[in-house]
Amino acid sequence: MTTAAIPLPALRRRTTAVLLASQVLGGIGIGIGIAFATVVGARVGGDALGGLAATATVVGTAVVAVPLTPLMSARGRRPGLALAYLAGAAGAALTVVAAVVSNYPLLLIGLTAFGGSSTASFQARFAAADLTPPDRRARAISLLVWATTIGAVLGPSLAAPASRSVTAWGIPAAAGPFAWACAAFAAAAVIIAAGLRPDPLLTARTLAPETPTTGRSGSVWSGFRAVRATPLGRIALTAVAVVHTAMASVMSMTPLEMSHHGAGMNLIGLVVSAHVLGMYAFSPAMGWLADRVGRITAICLSVALLAVAALLAATAGTSHTQSMAALFVLGLGWSAGLVAGSALLTDSVPAAARAAAQGLSDLVMSSAAALGTAVAGVVVAQAGYAWLNAAVVLALLCFAALTLRGRTAHATNADRALG
């Protein structure tokens, strides 16, 4: 099917519909899998190694982004997203096998490949922006982020029937969610492969050809060169990394802190649900805001929300209501920063280098979050939860200062160029 055969507005709607369908399915698989990675890890390797299983999925998201970046740069979104979901499906299947044979190293390999599903989910937001005009780009990105809400809500609720469905086959109940995740990812891959035609990235290049100033290899390194060449690109890359790391660091330690203050699993689950609601449900509003008032302003709002959330969390103590409010605001801040930062990154680099820069963004974001959560555990163990939140606020303030300075310098250079 050629681009000329479909009017551009209709092509945008069709592309968005395909991406939304795959995002819902992928979100269900991610939701039911990640929520129980620690559970299946503890079953196979013991409680001491349960947390490492969850870390493997985060590492996998970063690892899969490396080969996916040049593939999508050369061949388009369709093969890249489909293969990432297939990697997630293969990882989920391997996780089930590892649980059956009780092999912990095999489990880690499976969960690492499982992380490819998150890579696909993250990259889908950029695919939604390929054919969208700049003044509506943040809203297109936010719509894909919002679609994750469906999977995030439905996924964990399907864990119980998923667990019951596999026990008759001799499969441990803890592996049931991963069997269902495998099916969900495979279905998402089929939808992408069959429906994402013509490819939005390749079509965007056809409609807006330009000289590739940063090389067409599409590697992560070429993405780095493209981002480094523009001040706004550097701000965007730093924004998504800082915002995602701040969110993940506070979020990962809050359930533990609440348990120390007497909260049970049901209450902790309710607080986490409020956090997820803040992350995804209001993303269209954040997209509208980023298009309306500008990307940098929305990023600054994100920093303010995250800082307020960290301060609320640090002072919550035994007030679980305050902890819930803190995590809800934390989710809102993450949503604003991810949407605005992703839109700014797309705006800032040439079309020929966008896929490479976007792949770099997800690699840096996932790697920073993995490191941040690991450091957060050490900080809490050595100094306490309040000090972790204080460190997050300090990092956010430093980033905000650098962002405002970078915007001022960019505006000054633009004025000089016009003069």
Side-chain angles (χ1 to χ4, degrees), residues 111-289:
L111 289 173
T112 300
F114 181 92
S117 58
S118 293
T119 308
S121 181
F122 282 136
Q123 283 291 308
R125 74 189 192 276
F126 291 121
D130 286 333
L131 298 174
T132 305
D135 63 339
R136 298 183 61 85
R137 193 167 280 156
R139 274 168 281 189
I141 291 172
S142 69
L143 185 61
L144 267 293
V145 175
W146 171 85
T148 311
T149 309
I150 301 173
V153 172
L154 284 180
S157 67
L158 294 175
S163 298
R164 291 193 299 267
S165 69
V166 299
T167 53
W169 302 86
I171 298 174
F178 293 92
W180 283 33
C182 178
F185 295 152
V190 169
I191 288 174
I192 290 290
L196 207 61
R197 298 170 182 268
D199 190 279
L201 179 61
L202 301 183
T203 302
R205 288 176 180 168
T206 302
L207 296 175
E210 56 184 278
T211 302
T213 58
T214 57
R216 293 298 295 268
S217 67
S219 66
V220 170
W221 176 244
S222 67
F224 173 76
R225 293 199 304 269
V227 171
R228 186 180 61 180
T230 167
L232 292 180
R234 295 195 295 270
I235 290 174
L237 180 66
T238 308
V240 295
V242 169
V243 165
H244 194 57
T245 303
M247 181 278 294
S249 299
V250 176
M251 172 56 218
S252 64
M253 292 294 107
T254 300
L256 178 63
E257 176 70 8
M258 290 181 63
S259 69
H260 290 163
H261 289 287
M265 291 303 295
N266 288 338
L267 181 57
I268 292 174
L270 186 62
V271 170
V272 171
S273 295
H275 174 64
V276 172
L277 183 69
M279 288 177 69
Y280 298 117
F282 298 92
S283 56
M286 299 303 180
W288 176 87
L289 188 69

Side-chain angles (χ1 to χ4, degrees), residues 259-357:
S259 69
H260 290 163
H261 289 287
M265 291 303 295
N266 288 338
L267 181 57
I268 292 174
L270 186 62
V271 170
V272 171
S273 295
H275 174 64
V276 172
L277 183 69
M279 288 177 69
Y280 298 117
F282 298 92
S283 56
M286 299 303 180
W288 176 87
L289 188 69
D291 283 336
R292 185 79 174 181
V293 304
R295 320 299 196 216
I296 298 294
T297 302
I299 288 172
C300 290
L301 172 64
S302 165
V303 170
L305 289 170
L306 290 168
V308 168
L311 291 173
L312 286 172
T315 57
T318 58
S319 175
H320 303 314
T321 301
Q322 184 170 329
S323 294
M324 180 181 292
L327 260 64
F328 176 75
V329 176
L330 188 76
L332 287 178
W334 176 86
S335 180
L338 182 74
V339 169
S342 299
L344 181 62
L345 182 71
T346 304
D347 295 341
S348 303
V349 298
R354 278 178 190 158

Side-chain angles (χ1 to χ4, degrees), residues 59-122:
V59 172
T61 302
V63 168
V64 174
V66 176
L68 200 68
T69 297
L71 174 63
M72 286 199 296
S73 294
R75 304 288 297 276
R77 303 290 187 190
R78 187 171 63 87
L81 294 177
L83 284 176
Y85 275 128
L86 288 177
L94 197 59
T95 300
V96 174
V97 173
V100 171
V101 301
S102 195
N103 186 312
Y104 193 76
L106 186 64
L107 179 76
L108 291 182
I109 295 173
L111 289 173
T112 300
F114 181 92
S117 58
S118 293
T119 308
S121 181
F122 282 136

